[in-house]
């Protein structure tokens, strides 16, 4: 056995080098997969937060800097189209806002068009 090892040192060294390289590549691949997975979760959470901030600003009519102009609300309603993963909820919420805002005719007229167009786009 000892003589065999001595006779095949070059092959054993080559095999060891190849195995070390394969192991290094496997560790690198796992690290890359884990990074991408964590990044996707982080981006998903950011989208979730952005979506709910848009909904809050639209429904309350103001944001951190004060009362929103109707133009801003319309732009926020339009932005909801970029969240197709929440489309069934968005449609229901926009339809309920249409009903709620019917009491304020001026607001309803200006925002209802944008709401209806967003609902069409999401369907």
């Amino acid at each position: 056995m000892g003589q065999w090892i001595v006779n095949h040192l070059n092959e054993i060294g080559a095999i060891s080098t190849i195995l070390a390289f394969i192991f290094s590549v496997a560790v690198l691949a796992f690290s890359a997969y884990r990074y991408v997975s964590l990044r996707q979760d982080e981006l998903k959470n950011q989208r979730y937060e952005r979506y709910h901030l848009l909904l809050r600003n639209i429904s309350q009519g103001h944001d951190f800097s004060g009362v929103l102009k109707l133009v801003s609300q319309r732009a926020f309603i339009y932005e909801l189209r970029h969240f197709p993963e929440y489309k069934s909820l968005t449609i229901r919420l926009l339809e309920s806002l249409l009903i709620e805002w019917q009491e304020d005719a001026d607001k309803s007229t200006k925002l209802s068009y944008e709401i209806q167009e967003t609902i069409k786009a999401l369907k």
Side-chain angles (χ1 to χ4, degrees):
M1 177 82 161
Q3 185 62 34
W4 183 86
I5 292 174
V6 170
N7 290 338
H8 295 91
L9 276 177
N10 286 340
E11 290 86 2
I12 292 171
I15 290 172
S16 297
T17 302
I18 291 170
L19 289 176
F21 177 74
I22 291 172
F23 179 73
S24 297
V25 169
V27 168
L28 180 64
F30 177 75
S31 296
Y33 169 78
R34 186 73 181 131
Y35 172 78
V36 168
S37 175
L38 289 172
R39 187 69 179 135
Q40 285 177 336
D41 288 344
E42 184 180 307
L43 290 174
K44 185 177 177 183
N45 287 337
Q46 287 175 356
R47 281 185 62 77
Y48 175 82
E49 292 296 326
R50 196 172 325 136
Y51 174 78
H52 285 279
L53 180 63
L54 281 172
L55 284 176
R56 187 174 339 132
N57 291 344
I58 292 166
S59 64
Q60 292 177 347
H62 60 81
D63 63 4
F64 60 90
S65 61
V67 177
L68 292 173
K69 293 189 177 276
L70 289 178
V71 172
S72 296
Q73 278 184 290
R74 291 176 67 190
F76 286 165
I77 291 167
Y78 181 86
E79 281 300 310
L80 291 174
R81 298 175 190 190
H82 295 107
F83 296 91
E85 64 270 30
Y86 303 116
K87 76 178 184 179
S88 62
L89 175 64
T90 301
I91 291 169
R92 289 192 314 267
L93 293 174
L94 289 177
E95 288 172 344
S96 70
L97 281 176
L98 268 177
I99 294 167
E100 182 181 322
W101 287 342
Q102 283 178 351
E103 298 168 4
D104 184 348
D106 187 46
K107 187 178 212 177
S108 175
T109 303
K110 292 178 180 176
L111 293 175
S112 66
Y113 173 78
E114 204 63 55
I115 289 175
Q116 290 167 0
E117 288 299 308
T118 297
I119 290 171
K120 280 185 213 174
L122 290 172
K123 286 185 178 180

